[in-house]
Amino acid sequence: MSSNGSFPIRADPSMEVLPPDSPIRQIYPEDLFENGSYAPLLHGRVRYWIIGPEDGMKACFSPDLASVVLIHGVSTPSVSWKAIGPYLAAKGFRVLIYDLFGKGYSEAPHMPSDATLFVTQLALLMQYVRWEAAHIVGFSMGGGVAAAFTASLPHLVAGKTLLIASAGLIETGPTPTSVSSKVALLQYQDLPGYKRSLASCFTDGPIRGLQSTFDKLDKLLVGPENKDLQVLVIHGTDDEIVPYEEAHKIKARIPEAEVITVEGAGHDLVLRDAHWRIVGDAIVRFLEN
């Protein structure tokens, strides 16, 4: 367990320090996924899981082409992937799931929760687990992180970036006070670092203002082989947090991107019983082709 020291950077504790019987850990237990561990990174201690076949490949895949990173959104940590993560693993993908800094079981460093912090976090985590490249999947604010990561470090992207209900270009949207999921509310109540990090995400984070970042994804060459980046955008028509129109804004900046519309889906489409399988199947199809 973290000592919450000041070297190399001061960080507030995560859910790791809460009692195992605390309400939030009943909803989001530390062992929600198999093969969990902690990575001591530059900006704090990070919880991650790697699930799926150990060889990281299906019959025709190289390890890189079957490696997938899942990035959650602004308020709800990796419990967002409790359905889709294992589903991708069952389809033969090697899946890296982790909590962003300031969320869930990852510490909250005393620095802005901006795109640079989250891009650096993923790059160092991939180095820590010795992944040379992976496909990048981002949900909500995680879409902004995925776009920034791909634009900044294209050599670490195996070929495909997927943006689900993605923020990044939104001009007006939710505020920290509008966050209402039970997991978010319990983190807000129990973790001072979460509260501070969440506020910073809305002022400094990759939720809006990433126009130049998305522009860089058009005709971008990625991965060890310098091949054309492929982008998939998935968005629900009834999203009240990140409006459906945001998908078309992304498409306008990345004309080659494929857009999949999920009719009747809200912002929770990665968790909702009626929609997560649609999203999961779309991810599998896109990665396999």
Side-chain angles (χ1 to χ4, degrees), residues 87-195:
Y87 185 71
L88 296 179
K91 293 292 184 178
F93 293 95
R94 190 71 165 158
V95 184
L96 172 61
I97 305 170
Y98 70 104
D99 284 342
L100 292 170
F101 279 128
K103 327 292 180 186
Y105 292 98
S106 290
E107 292 181 328
H110 282 247
M111 58 189 305
S113 293
D114 58 12
T116 299
L117 174 67
F118 296 129
V119 167
T120 303
Q121 178 188 13
L122 178 54
L124 292 177
L125 181 59
M126 287 179 63
Q127 181 187 54
Y128 184 83
V129 300
R130 300 182 180 180
W131 280 22
E132 294 185 0
H135 303 296
I136 311 298
V137 180
F139 163 63
S140 191
M141 186 187 79
V145 176
F149 183 86
T150 302
S152 303
L153 301 169
H155 62 287
L156 299 180
V157 180
K160 301 181 182 183
T161 296
L162 296 85
L163 308 170
I164 305 170
S166 178
L169 299 176
I170 191 168
E171 296 174 4
T172 60
T175 64
T177 56
S178 68
V179 174
S180 59
S181 76
K182 190 170 183 180
V183 171
L185 291 173
L186 288 170
Q187 288 179 101
Y188 199 85
Q189 169 186 304
D190 295 338
L191 299 172
Y194 172 82
K195 186 184 301 185

Side-chain angles (χ1 to χ4, degrees), residues 125-288:
L125 181 59
M126 287 179 63
Q127 181 187 54
Y128 184 83
V129 300
R130 300 182 180 180
W131 280 22
E132 294 185 0
H135 303 296
I136 311 298
V137 180
F139 163 63
S140 191
M141 186 187 79
V145 176
F149 183 86
T150 302
S152 303
L153 301 169
H155 62 287
L156 299 180
V157 180
K160 301 181 182 183
T161 296
L162 296 85
L163 308 170
I164 305 170
S166 178
L169 299 176
I170 191 168
E171 296 174 4
T172 60
T175 64
T177 56
S178 68
V179 174
S180 59
S181 76
K182 190 170 183 180
V183 171
L185 291 173
L186 288 170
Q187 288 179 101
Y188 199 85
Q189 169 186 304
D190 295 338
L191 299 172
Y194 172 82
K195 186 184 301 185
R196 177 176 48 76
S197 174
L198 183 66
S200 181
C201 284
F202 282 94
T203 56
D204 309 304
I207 291 177
R208 52 181 63 85
L210 296 185
Q211 286 81 0
S212 63
T213 296
F214 281 89
D215 287 344
K216 290 178 181 177
L217 302 188
D218 183 33
K219 298 181 173 62
L220 183 67
L221 299 179
V222 299
E225 299 177 358
N226 276 332
K227 54 188 175 183
D228 292 332
L229 173 70
Q230 297 179 56
V231 177
L232 175 65
V233 178
I234 304 174
H235 218 112
T237 57
D238 294 355
D239 194 327
E240 296 181 352
I241 304 297
V242 180
Y244 175 66
E245 291 73 21
E246 296 300 308
H248 296 291
K249 290 183 185 179
I250 295 172
K251 173 71 172 177
R253 293 182 178 275
I254 316 171
E256 297 301 316
E258 178 185 355
V259 177
I260 292 180
T261 298
V262 184
E263 294 292 340
H267 195 63
D268 60 352
L269 74 172
V270 298
L271 273 171
R272 181 76 61 175
D273 286 344
H275 302 121
W276 76 259
R277 185 71 173 264
I278 297 172
V279 175
D281 286 342
I283 294 172
V284 170
R285 178 194 59 78
F286 184 68
L287 294 180
E288 288 186 336

